[in-house]
Every structure is written in C-alpha cells, then in structure tokens.
Amino acid sequence: MDSVPRGPEQRRSGSSTEPGSLRFGVLGPVRAWRDGEPVATGSPQQRALLAALLLREGRTATAAELIDALWGEEPPSQALAAVRTYASRLRKVLDPGVLVSESGGYAVRGLDEGALDLAAAQELAAEAEKARNTGDLCHARDVLNRALSLWDGETLAGVPGPYAEAQRVRLEEWRLQLLESRLDMDLEQGCHAEAVSELTALTAAHPLRERLRELLMLALYRSGRQAEALAVYADTRRLLADELGVDPRPDLQDLQQRILQADPGLAEPSAPMTEPVAVPVRPAQLPATVPDFTGRASFVRELSEVLAAASGDEGRVMAVSALAGIGGVGKTTLAVHVAHEARPAFPDGQLYVDLQGAGARSAEPETVLGAFLRALGTADSAIPDSLEERAALYRSVLDGRKVLVLLDNARDAAQVRPLLPGTAGCAALVTSRVRMVDLAGAHLVDLDVMSPEEALALFTKIVGEERVGSEREAALDVVAACGFLPLAIRIAASRLAARRTWTVSVLAAKLADERRRLDELQAGDLAVKATFELGYGQLEPAQARAFRLLGLADGPDISLAAAAAVLDLPAEDTEDLLESLVDTSLLESAAPGRYRFHDLVRLYARACAERDEQPPSERGAALSRLLDFYLATAVGVYAIERPGDRLVDGLEPTEHPGLVFTDGSAALDWLYTEASPLLATVRQAAGTDRLRRGVDLLWAAKDLTESGANSHQYEMTARAMCDATHAAGDARAAGRARTVLTDVLLVSGRIQQAEEEARMAMELADSVQDAAASSWVANNRGLICLHQHRYSAGKALFDQAIEGFRATGNRAGEASALSNLSRAQLGMGNITEAVEIARHGLAVYLEMGRTMRLANGHFAVGVALAKAGRHNEALDQFSEAVSIFADHRQRLWEGATNFRIAEVHLAAERPSHAAQHAEQALALGCIGGDRMRGNVLTLLGRALSALGQADRANACWREAVSLLEQNSAPEVSEVRALLTPVT
C-alpha cells in the first residue's frame, strides 16, 4: 500500500484534537475550524498560501517558493507584498504561534495530532497497511474506509496556482491507490457482488486506469459473470488502442487468459494452513489409535501446541486440556490420537484410565491413583490408603518427570482434580460429556461433529474408495443422516463393509426413515442409542422433561424465550435447565440465548418423549404453546411494521403470550433471527388442529419473503401449507395459504403461476366470505395484470381492493392499493391522474408514520414523477424510499428502488450514475426475480453502451434475453433488437 510522507514536526505530542484547538482540511475545499465552527480563510489566493504551508508539513517555505506556488512563472509585480498581506490576515484569524515567520519565509507549526485531515488520512493508511500485513483484513478495510471518508470532494477545491494543481494530482492519485487497496481487500474477503457496483462507477470515471479494470474483471468473474468479465477486457483493449495506441499491461492480459481457462486460482483466496506443530509421544498405557483416524486437523494442532508448550524446556506450568462433547463425537479417539502424536515429548511415560463417568458407577479417584502409582514403579506397600495421601505421593513421584496423563470419560471436575500432575513438564488430557468450567486453569475444547468433507473421508476409509466413488451422492446422504457424528458414521460404514451385496444407496434408503434411524445405527457392541441412553439416564426429572419436550420442535435451533413457551416455565428457570443440559453435552449452545440438538440426539429425545412423556397430550400441548408464542410475537412485529393494517385483527387467537417489542429494529432482529425455527413450526402444524394458526403465522411473517433473506424456505413452507389445507378441506385456511403463495410468486417474478394461485385464492376466500383475504387477493391480481400490461383490468381490481380495504378500515391496505392503482393509470397513459393517486396513497401512509410501507408510497410517487419527466423530484422520492427499505432490511425492495433510480439517471443522460445504481440493483436482487434481473441487465447494458463499453453492454443484453425468454416476458423482443455486432 502506498503512503504519503508524514511530517511529525507538524503535530504536537499528545492525543487527538482537543476542544478549542484548530482543525484544517485540504482533502476538499481548504478550510479551518475552531471548536467546530468555521474560521474565515479569505480569498482563493489566501487559501492557496495556507494550503502551501499546511502541505509542507511544518517546514519553512521561503517567500520565493510561495510566490512560485501561487503564481508560477508569471507573478504579479506586487507578489511579495501580496504574500505578506495574506500571511498577516491569516495570522489574525489563527491561534497565536500557529503561523510563524522564519528566515524570510513562513511555516505552520504547533498543530495538534490529527488537526490536519491529510495527516489523519496518512496515519490511518499506515495503520491499515500494518493490519493488512498481519492478516487482519477486516480491520484494515475499516481503517481504510475511515481514511477515504476524510475526502470531501475535490482536493484543494477552488485553490488556484501551479502548486495546488500539482498537489491535487498527487493526492487524487494517492486516493485512488487507497481505493484500489481497499477494493482488493474487499475481493479477498468475498465481497465481490458489492464491489462490482463501485468498480463500475470508478472505471467509468477513470477509463484508462487498468488496475481498476483488473479488479472489475475479477469481481465479475467471482460473481459468476464470466462473460461480462471478458467483455470488460475487450472494451479495455479497444479503448487503450484507440486512445493511446498500446495493448493492456501484462497483468491484465494474464487475468484474461486465466478467466478463459477458469483457473481455480482465481477463486476466493484462503489463508494457507500452517502445519501442525510436531508433538511426538510415550508410556505404554495408551490404547491403540484407530488406523482410519480422519480430519480434526485444527483440534489436533491446538491440543498438540498445548502439550508441546508443557513439555518444552521453557514450560513452567502443568498443562490440562479438557475435551467436552456429545457421546459419539469422537472425544476419546481424538485424545488418544493426539496422545500418541505427543509421545516423544513425554519420554517418562503416558498414563491412561477410563473413568466411566457416563455409567452408573464411575471410577473412584483413590483406586485410579493406586493403579497409576503402581505403573510408575511404586511398591504396593508404599501406597497409602487415603485419597489425599495417594494424590500427594502421585504428585511427588511425577516431580521432575515428563509424563502425559489421559483421563478418559470423566464424570466431573471433582473426579479429575486428584488425578492431575502438579509440576511443570507434565500434561493431562481429559475427555468428558460435561464442560469442565470449574477445572481451574484448564484449556477447554468443545468438540463438534465432523465437517461433511471429514465425514465422507472417514466413511470412504472404512467402506473403500471403489464402492463410495461410484455412489458419492448416496454416501453424502448417509453421512448427513448420521448427523456427521463419528460414532454413527463408523457404525453405518462398518455395517456396509460387512455386507458386500448392499450398495451405498441401500444403506442411505434405510437411514432415510427417521423413525428407524437410531435402530439402524448399531453394529456389534456399538450403538448410537445406547450412547445417548447413558447420558439421559443421569438426568434429573426436570432436565429429562425439558430434554424430551424441546426435542419435539423441528427448527434448527431454539431461543430461550421459545423454549420457555415449550416448557411453560419462566425464562430464568428455563435457562437453568437448558444450561444444565449443555453441561451434559445433550444440548448445544449455538449462541448466547440460543440452543440446538444434534440431529441424532433430537431423534432420541423424540423417542424418549413418545415413550416417557405423561400424559401423552403434553407433547401436542408443548407444540401448541410454541406456535402460540411465534404467532403472538409475529403479529406484534407485523403491527409495528404496518400500523393501520387490520390484517392482524382477522388472525387466529392465541392463548400463550409472545414477546412484546417497542422498537422496530429489535422486532425485525427477532423476525429474521427466528425465521428458520418459525417456518419449521408452521410446517409442523400441517395435519394437526393447529393448521389455521400455522397458516396465519406464515401470513404474519410475510416480510421474510419480501426481504429476500428466506425466500426459498418461505416458499417451500407456503406450498406445504397449501397441500395440508387442501387435504384438510379447510377452505378458509386454504385461501389464506394460496394468498401467501401468490405473494411469494409475485416477489420472484413467476407471473403465470401467481395468476393461477390468485384465482384459486379468490374463489376460496369468496366461498367463506374471508374479507381480509379477498381484498389482498384483489390487490395481488391487479399487480399480475400490471406485469401482463393489462392496465384496465388491473385498475378494476385495484378499485375492488380499495373498496374492500375501506370497508374493513384497513388504511395500510388502502394505501397499498392506491399506490398500485397509480401504476395502472400510468400504463393507461393518464400521467397526471397517476401522480395525484400516488400522492394520495403516500398521504395515507404518512398518517401512520415512518413505517416500512411508507417506502412503498415514496416508491410509487417516484415512478409516477419519473414517467412525467420530473427527474429531480423522482430522485428525491426514490432516495426516501431506498433509505426506509434499507432501515427495514427489505433488500429486494432496496434493489428495485436502485433500478428505478438508474432509469431516471439514464433518462437524464447520466449513464455513469445509471450503471452504478444498476449494479447495486444486481448485487441486492429485486422484487420480480429473474425477470426483473433481466430488466436490470437491459438497463445496465444501455448505460454501458452510452459509456462506450459495447462488449460489456452486449454481454449484459445476451444474459437479459436468456432470462426474459425463460420467463416469457413480452419485453424480450425489444432487448433482442439491442444486440449488435461489435466492430
């Protein structure tokens, strides 16, 4: 990273600028402030003098140098007098002692650290360079962004003279270098799609800067846009030939070739793995390590480093590493493997004991100590009787030796403490299902399941490459069904290895049945269920009940508040129970306040619930409380986001309360965090008496699909509820489920499917006189007509929706339909009426405050004003809309608004701005799915064509044609006409 020289003499020692001190800015107009208030810096020539002194970084500038800086080779006759006048005036407005006379010249001295924006930018750039060199890219990017934010327009704006012009060029070059460095780090951290928008604008502004073109090509390639990346190269080559008569530099040519060859090295870079510290090993008590040990490289390295530190010459303390994890996760296998690797570092022996902590009768510490003392050469007659004396003798015997002790399957810290060595040079490895948080000084390691790659590698080692290689997908299904748990994988693989007539697919099919999966996972004396049974048998009654009931919920995890609803307990009591289950490794703490089961443990918990939960009705009651919790909370979030929307009045009532939010941001945090478990709870309601509540919960959580964050999962849930309501013959629930599915299809741009679902939804809603659903379906059908360019039909449907919303007092619905009616009027050519109707809708939204839907009102007004050719007014409306959509995390709407902004800029003949906003729309995604993406690419191509980038424009149009053809969009013929050969 390039930097600009700094002048330490310019700044006083000490901290940053204090109140009352002066601050100066040159990265923009030349300005000065005192206590945050502007200080008058005079005429342009006077500011030029100040800038020249500030940029000399505390060094003296002679009068001749200043004259040359201000006027160059043709100074006025009174130049010297003018310089003295400017200096005198500046001295009067600056603090005493800041502008000093010296040796016939002048200097600026005594400024606080950071008082000059350029100096602050230099410090930040140096800090960023240091952070990058140490691999801390996140910090480096953040610091560079802070440095770049110090620029406020053109450097030395409005300052005359040759010196100012030279400095402008120099500092602009430095700014671009910083930008390139930050963008380079953006790509290193995987922010490819986000970088494309900024790089598109920068290459338009600096078309001959090849490094920016190189970064844009790489960003496009990593975003899956290979054709555009190659088109950028073609545009660049043609531009350089036309403007300069040269070819692209070798780095750019090399990148083009690597893109053509799909070079894997262009993929997102990853930090090279460091080799694990070699930690050899010894005594004879260690069990044999398994020959097919697989994966766990990071844990092996971490534990090996701890053991190496303990055994080294500089080791001053005895090391204890405690591995905790669920039964079957491979704690013993890992500990034994690491212990064998560490044997050479412990030449005086290795001790091992199974403490049987998961069984009914765990090993007594005094018995273990007796065995250890004998193994260390102590005669039976010398072994004392009491635990304390044995422990003291054990520590004395180990003093001065290098011994590794492996304490396997410990019950708790109390069982382990007497067995720990007490001197430097020794180390202990402890495995347990319980986290040893109360074992002082222990290095705690939480062992999780294997990664999919590790799991497949272990399965392949046991079964054989030949059998697995021909059925890789089935093998992945097997290890996934095993929940990537090493014990389960070993059992499944061993069963397959022993049955030569089975294929991998046969085993996968057997494990696909969740009800029999645990029974299938046993081989010889190995059984997953038996491993879990040991832990479950040690639970207190309240813990066992919590374990059973929480296992009934289908979500990937569960929050503390949701768990309290399932258990029907206060949050404090629930947390105590859940944390105790975490300590036993039967439950995992996914994040603060969130918990999850391993997949196989969840199946076991459900089996326990079916076997042990009394009365049996409590299982359904627990899930009913969970659904009530989600529905009550989601209704509250909906009401905050959409005040005045009466939809919530027509939803199913709940008996169990939910959370109450007063802050919109916290409400949205909850909704997006809970998306997966919430949708899983909806799916679990299918086929039960909770069906209607499940559908209503899905409807109340509709923000999940409009935001784009959970669209696929939301759609799958909506389709499942459509099937369930049809099977149940519940017309009211079926109509609402199909209304929800219509919303999903509209958001994704699948208009034909949406039309069919909306038709069925209308029939069902009308058949049961569901007024809430009928109005929203009419609104959706109107939107479908807009997409089909059937504007008169759309107007009639929007009028129907407005009438229905007004009849039920649904002001938010009325505003939505008015906004949509405005677009129908635009399609019919009634622009004046469209603007008026859109403003009416906005006025209704404004009555309800700055809510998410207010953005839709601004959006509709912006569209109407843009059609009327009132570009600046339209941009103001879109700016309001995009700000609100961003605040409410409506990514797809934010993208759609950027598309509209790009349209306005292109109409106003600002193609560079249009391209930048079109790229932002592509990065964010848009309401309308692939069809809308095709429209965005069409617009981007038009902007690029106007910028002279014909190859990349054609690449955009070709992709647009493909997307629009797939969606049977009527605008495809217009885009085909844009495609022209590049000469």
Side-chain angles (χ1 to χ4, degrees), residues 288-451:
T289 187
V290 293
D292 48 24
F293 182 85
T294 303
R296 306 299 200 190
S298 63
F299 290 109
V300 171
R301 182 169 59 252
E302 179 181 349
L303 293 168
S304 297
E305 288 174 351
V306 173
L307 295 180
S311 63
D313 292 338
E314 72 285 355
R316 296 181 180 178
V317 294
M318 181 271 299
V320 180
S321 289
L323 287 73
I326 188 177
V329 81
K331 300 182 294 295
T332 298
T333 301
L334 173 61
V336 170
H337 178 81
V338 171
H340 274 284
E341 289 288 309
R343 285 179 62 189
F346 298 94
D348 296 319
Q350 303 94 42
L351 300 170
Y352 172 84
V353 64
D354 179 0
L355 294 172
Q356 303 173 26
R361 295 188 61 184
S362 56
E364 296 295 334
E366 51 261 55
T367 303
V368 175
L369 284 170
F372 279 177
L373 286 168
R374 292 185 191 95
L376 290 167
T378 306
D380 283 348
S381 58
I383 298 174
D385 293 331
S386 73
L387 171 62
E388 291 76 11
E389 289 177 312
R390 288 187 177 191
L393 178 60
Y394 169 66
R395 292 191 294 271
S396 298
V397 170
L398 290 178
D399 185 30
R401 299 189 184 187
K402 292 188 175 182
V403 174
L404 175 63
V405 182
L406 177 47
L407 305 172
D408 193 21
N409 195 14
R411 180 189 66 230
D412 53 28
Q415 185 188 29
V416 166
R417 286 190 192 98
L419 308 177
L420 298 177
T423 56
C426 292
L429 279 174
V430 183
T431 74
S432 176
R433 298 189 183 195
V434 177
R435 294 191 80 243
M436 300 267 178
V437 292
D438 50 347
L439 191 60
H443 173 74
L444 302 181
V445 176
D446 292 321
L447 194 59
D448 203 350
V449 296
M450 287 181 147
S451 68

Side-chain angles (χ1 to χ4, degrees), residues 511-790:
L511 294 176
D513 184 353
E514 288 190 352
R515 293 169 300 177
R516 289 202 40 80
R517 187 177 297 169
L518 289 174
D519 294 329
E520 293 287 347
L521 290 174
Q522 28 188 346
D525 61 351
L526 293 177
V528 172
K529 186 187 292 186
T531 299
F532 297 158
E533 191 72 50
L534 287 172
Y536 178 66
Q538 294 184 337
L539 298 179
E540 298 293 331
Q543 293 174 314
R545 174 181 178 269
F547 176 74
R548 296 190 299 268
L549 294 183
L550 291 175
L552 296 172
D554 266 353
D557 64 359
I558 192 167
S559 68
L560 176 60
V566 171
L567 302 180
D568 199 18
L569 291 172
E572 294 81 3
D573 296 343
T574 301
E575 184 175 23
D576 290 343
L577 283 172
L578 268 54
E579 287 297 328
S580 69
L581 290 174
V582 169
D583 289 340
T584 65
S585 296
L586 287 172
L587 192 66
E588 301 172 18
S589 179
R594 302 199 70 82
Y595 302 87
R596 68 185 176 204
F597 281 107
H598 181 274
D599 290 346
L600 295 179
V601 177
R602 185 198 305 277
L603 293 178
Y604 175 72
R606 288 183 179 177
C608 291
E610 292 177 5
R611 181 188 69 193
D612 301 337
E613 196 59 47
Q614 297 297 329
S617 60
E618 175 59 9
R619 299 198 297 272
L623 290 175
S624 181
R625 290 192 296 268
L626 179 62
L627 179 56
D628 272 3
F629 165 78
Y630 279 128
L631 179 54
T633 310
V635 164
V637 174
Y638 189 97
I640 289 175
E641 288 293 286
R642 296 173 173 81
D645 191 333
R646 308 319 307 167
L647 170 68
V648 294
D649 296 341
L651 301 182
E652 288 290 297
T654 58
E655 295 182 4
H656 194 283
L659 299 175
V660 177
F661 297 102
T662 56
D663 174 63
S665 178
L668 286 176
D669 284 342
W670 178 87
L671 181 64
Y672 293 124
T673 301
E674 293 293 332
S676 292
L678 181 152
L679 293 173
T681 302
V682 171
R683 293 190 293 271
Q684 274 192 286
T688 71
D689 60 359
R690 307 187 301 275
L691 179 62
R692 283 194 172 189
R693 278 182 289 158
V695 171
D696 282 356
L697 171 56
L698 188 63
W699 202 2
K702 65 186 293 185
D703 281 350
L704 294 177
T705 188
E706 288 196 13
S707 70
N710 304 88
S711 299
H712 178 71
Q713 191 179 6
Y714 189 93
E715 178 180 346
M716 293 302 99
T717 305
R719 292 189 181 279
M721 298 313 282
C722 285
D723 293 341
T725 52
H726 177 74
D730 188 333
R732 178 177 179 273
R736 293 186 173 195
R738 294 197 181 278
T739 300
V740 168
L741 184 55
T742 303
D743 286 337
V744 173
L745 295 169
L746 276 171
V747 168
S748 59
R750 287 170 283 173
I751 305 306
Q752 292 178 339
Q753 295 179 48
E755 184 177 21
E756 179 61 21
E757 291 297 334
R759 182 189 60 77
M760 290 189 286
M762 181 65 83
E763 291 175 358
L764 289 163
D766 287 347
S767 71
V768 294
Q769 297 182 332
D770 187 355
S774 294
S775 298
W776 283 111
V777 175
N779 198 40
N780 282 342
R781 294 182 73 195
L783 288 171
I784 292 167
C785 289
L786 293 184
H787 285 284
Q788 296 170 334
H789 300 174
R790 296 165 49 225

Side-chain angles (χ1 to χ4, degrees), residues 55-96:
L55 291 172
R56 291 186 67 86
E57 301 176 331
R59 298 187 302 276
T60 300
T62 66
E65 289 172 331
L66 291 173
I67 291 171
D68 186 60
L70 269 63
W71 293 286
E73 295 179 358
E74 298 181 357
S77 59
Q78 300 298 316
L80 180 58
V83 166
R84 290 171 177 168
T85 300
Y86 299 151
S88 175
R89 290 173 181 171
L90 285 171
R91 192 177 285 117
K92 291 177 182 177
V93 297
L94 302 180
D95 291 345

